[in-house]
Amino acid sequence: MAASDPTVKTTRAVDETGERSSRILQTRDLHKEFGGLTATDTVDFAVEEGELRCLIGPNGAGKSTFLNLITGQLEPTAGSIYYDGIDITPLPSHERVDRGISMKFQVPTLYEDLTARQNLRIPLQRIVDADEFETRTRELLAQFDLLAEIDETPAALSHGQQQRLEIAMAMALEPTLMLLDEPVAGLSVEETAEVAELLRTIQAEEGVAFIVIEHDIDFVETIADRVTVLDQGSIFTEGTIEKVKTDPAVRRIYLGEER
Amino acid sequence: MEGVRMSSEPNSSLLERVRSPFEGPNTLGNSNGFWLTFGVGVVSLALYPVLFGTYAAGERAVFLVYALLGVSLCFVWGFCGILSFGQVAFFGVSGYTFGIVGLNVSSYTGVTLGIVAGIAVATLFAAALGYFMFYGGVRDVYVTIITLVVALVLKTFMDQTAGGEWAIGEAELGGFNGMRNIPNLAIGVGDVGIDVSRAMHYYVALAALIAVYLGLRVLVNGRFGYAMVATREDETRTEMFGYNTTLIKFVTFTLGGALAGLSGVLYVTWGNYIDPQQFAITAASMPVIWASIGGRDSIAGTMAAAIVLQWIELQLTGEWALVIVGSLLVFVILAMPEGIAPRLRTFVLDRQSSSEPATAPATTEEVTD
């Protein structure tokens, strides 16, 4: 997909050294063990403001564990996480969300009995007054091309629409960092392209930073500013997609297996 | 959502404006038909003392009291997913507290103090238990087990409180014989006040039930209600929308305890008596049975089930009553796991949509909302 669309690379501003001044997320010596088994080991990881970072690696590389450490669903065995310069390691999940971290889970977890409008109310009612619900709901649904589905329950939505609604719900909180766990898993080629387009638009227009876990290398190639390869809980390598793709060691541990 | 509907329909009638805070996706009945049925139900209950006499009404007031206990469970279980067998613990603790205060402080002051103390002690007890459970990370079925054990421990403890050494001032706890001569419900201070007994007690219980029902409808369709339902559906997900789900469960459980406490006060002032059987496993199961049969996320369904099942029990009397209620529970859980009220609603909606296809979009919208 990316290969056939050369404009993608030029629309984003990331310099080749990958260095920027403002780091929105920074981890230090982050370490997580499950009963003696190391899931994440001394990951020093940083994401810049407005950057779209993809996290790849073979199954069991510790990608989901790493995201759960950032959201606070898991407590690290050692190390700390800084967000916007503040140590958020001791904060519970909901306080991290208040600081601007939003998450879309891998498995769709929409509220089954509620319509799209009512689903959106759950994040929206935390940050806007009741008289603004309707306006904001319509704005968000229009942005995610779901306005016609406003009164539909999740059962009536396609898989792609459900994924978009979930991203809309995460975006309703106006985050500065979005964590997406496999946003295009199980989507068709067309739907995948739509999600890629959507993420690029959000990144460009709202300046939101992303960390995306994804197995679909074509998708990663389309959206990523930089890619981090995890293997056995540690950062194996980091850099632009070209650098990562051409690294023979990466091909051996990951890409070779997948393709 | 309430505000939304009003602003999108500028010429909404006064009736709609009055109704809107009570309606929303978190309560099942929002249609004209539902409110009509509800009105008929309330009027029938209000006419009961007139038709069957004040004595009968005084006797049946306990149905309404237990319906309120069922509602307290429906609130925590149906709307926040906390299956508690401990509602009877708060109910009983409140009843005993009222008895202790009422027997020690004579005159109307004692009764008024007893009402406040009973509900306050039940609320604090629920808050303490909820604090240790939810902030201690206890979840799901373990909450159910702990609440059941709390009720059973209270039963065992109160059973052995026979004899003079187990008296608090004038009030003897009475072991398994229970606490006797608890005063009637009354409102007043010193020698000035109104006695509430017999038919009057019935009306007070009915008023409390209706007030709690309408209050809970406003609550569950408001911001807090959305947060409760979201927590019930998926706690981790809801936390990632920035909700403090631990606090939501704690507050819900405490409120549920307060409602059970209110029903406890109404219970002891009805029979002037309470014994440890109120904490026993049969009593602890009853609210769960009412909510399961009526529909745990339907407040009106739970209320109706509580009243009807108690009536059936009274007609059958004895051991057979429990067998029949138990069989009914098994049948309902197998045939309609969500309960009778949600099934009834689906049935009515299906009938409506097949009999009037898109002829009256306004009313259809009203019903399905």
Side-chain angles (χ1 to χ4, degrees), chain A residues 61-79:
Chain A
K63 303 184 296 290
S64 293
T65 304
F66 186 66
L67 277 204
N68 284 332
L69 288 170
I70 298 174
T71 61
Q73 289 298 314
L74 288 177
E75 262 183 62
T77 315

Side-chain angles (χ1 to χ4, degrees), chain A residues 192-219:
Chain A
T192 303
E194 281 171 21
V195 171
E197 181 63 38
L198 198 61
L199 296 189
R200 283 201 305 269
T201 312
I202 295 169
Q203 188 197 12
E205 289 178 2
E206 328 243 344
V208 179
F210 285 87
I211 300 176
V212 182
I213 292 183
E214 194 47 69
H215 279 294
D216 183 336
I217 290 300
D218 290 335
F219 179 69

Side-chain angles (χ1 to χ4, degrees), chain B:
Chain B
M1 210 62 50
E2 303 87 33
V4 167
R5 186 189 297 176
M6 288 194 312
S7 57
S8 62
E9 292 170 37
N11 52 354
S12 62
S13 70
L14 179 67
L15 183 67
E16 277 169 13
R17 237 171 296 166
V18 170
R19 266 169 59 172
S20 67
F22 299 102
E23 299 189 336
N26 299 332
T27 43
L28 297 177
N30 299 307
S31 60
N32 292 331
F34 168 79
W35 285 112
L36 195 66
T37 314
F38 177 75
V40 169
V42 168
V43 170
S44 319
L45 287 174
L47 286 178
Y48 187 86
V50 181
L51 296 175
F52 294 88
T54 53
Y55 177 79
E59 291 296 299
R60 302 293 172 268
V62 72
F63 290 5
L64 305 176
V65 173
Y66 276 129
L68 188 56
L69 180 64
V71 168
S72 82
L73 175 71
C74 173
F75 177 65
V76 296
W77 184 27
F79 290 89
C80 208
I82 306 162
L83 173 49
S84 160
F85 273 81
Q87 297 315 102
V88 287
F90 313 130
F91 174 91
V93 162
S94 165
Y96 272 105
T97 306
F98 178 89
I100 291 164
V101 176
L103 286 170
N104 279 297
V105 188
S106 54
S107 80
Y108 290 118
T109 315
V111 177
T112 309
L113 273 179
I115 298 170
V116 176
I119 297 170
V121 169
T123 309
L124 287 175
F125 183 34
L129 182 59
Y131 178 82
F132 285 113
M133 286 195 305
F134 301 124
Y135 284 87
V138 177
R139 283 191 177 202
D140 307 327
V141 71
Y142 299 100
V143 170
T144 309
I145 294 168
I146 289 175
T147 51
L148 178 60
V149 168
V150 165
L152 296 184
V153 165
L154 280 170
K155 158 97 170 74
T156 311
F157 176 78
M158 292 312 294
D159 268 346
Q160 52 87 53
T161 57
E165 70 271 29
W166 287 101
I168 299 171
E170 299 290 310
E172 282 194 25
L173 297 182
F176 54 74
N177 287 325
M179 189 188 271
R180 292 160 187 284
N181 302 323
I182 297 171
N184 278 337
L185 195 61
I187 298 153
V189 180
D191 297 328
V192 187
I194 315 159
D195 265 305
V196 177
S197 63
R198 292 287 160 210
M200 198 55 191
H201 185 277
Y202 177 94
Y203 281 120
V204 167
L206 181 61
L209 192 59
I210 295 168
V212 166
Y213 175 73
L214 293 176
L216 288 184
R217 279 192 70 116
V218 175
L219 185 68
V220 300
N221 282 315
R223 281 174 194 247
F224 189 72
Y226 270 81
M228 286 171 74
V229 171
T231 304
R232 175 191 75 194
E233 293 297 313
D234 191 331
E235 193 172 336
T236 309
R237 177 81 171 119
T238 306
E239 218 175 352
M240 287 314 297
F241 285 130
Y243 288 97
N244 185 348
T245 52
T246 308
L247 181 67
I248 290 166
K249 289 194 291 184
F250 168 73
V251 170
T252 304
F253 191 74
T254 305
L255 262 174
L259 291 178
L262 172 63
S263 66
V265 165
L266 291 172
Y267 175 79
V268 290
T269 52
W270 167 76
N272 309 105
Y273 169 76
I274 186 167
D275 69 11
Q277 267 330 101
Q278 296 303 325
F279 299 120
I281 195 153
T282 315
S285 312
M286 278 309 175
V288 179
I289 293 174
W290 299 328
S292 302
I293 291 180
R296 61 181 177 273
D297 55 359
S298 165
I299 310 170
T302 302
M303 274 166 32
I307 293 170
V308 170
L309 286 172
Q310 289 179 83
W311 182 80
I312 292 175
E313 266 188 81
L314 190 77
Q315 303 306 310
L316 297 168
T317 65
E319 301 297 312
W320 276 106
L322 280 179
V323 174
I324 304 271
V325 169
S327 314
L328 192 61
L329 176 69
V330 172
F331 170 75
V332 169
I333 284 179
L334 290 177
M336 32 189 144
E338 72 275 37
I340 291 175
R343 180 58 66 91
L344 199 63
R345 174 175 182 269
T346 315
F347 177 72
V348 170
L349 287 183
D350 286 351
R351 284 274 307 265
Q352 278 177 353
S353 58
S354 60
S355 63
E356 41 179 297
T359 47
T363 46
T364 315
E365 211 265 316
E366 192 79 51
V367 170
T368 51
D369 186 13

Side-chain angles (χ1 to χ4, degrees), chain A residues 104 106 159-167 182-183 185 187:
Chain A
K104 194 207 92 59
Q106 179 178 356
H159 196 63
Q161 287 171 330
Q162 291 184 14
Q163 293 280 19
R164 291 210 302 274
L165 179 55
E166 287 227 48
I167 298 173
E182 302 204 20
L187 296 192

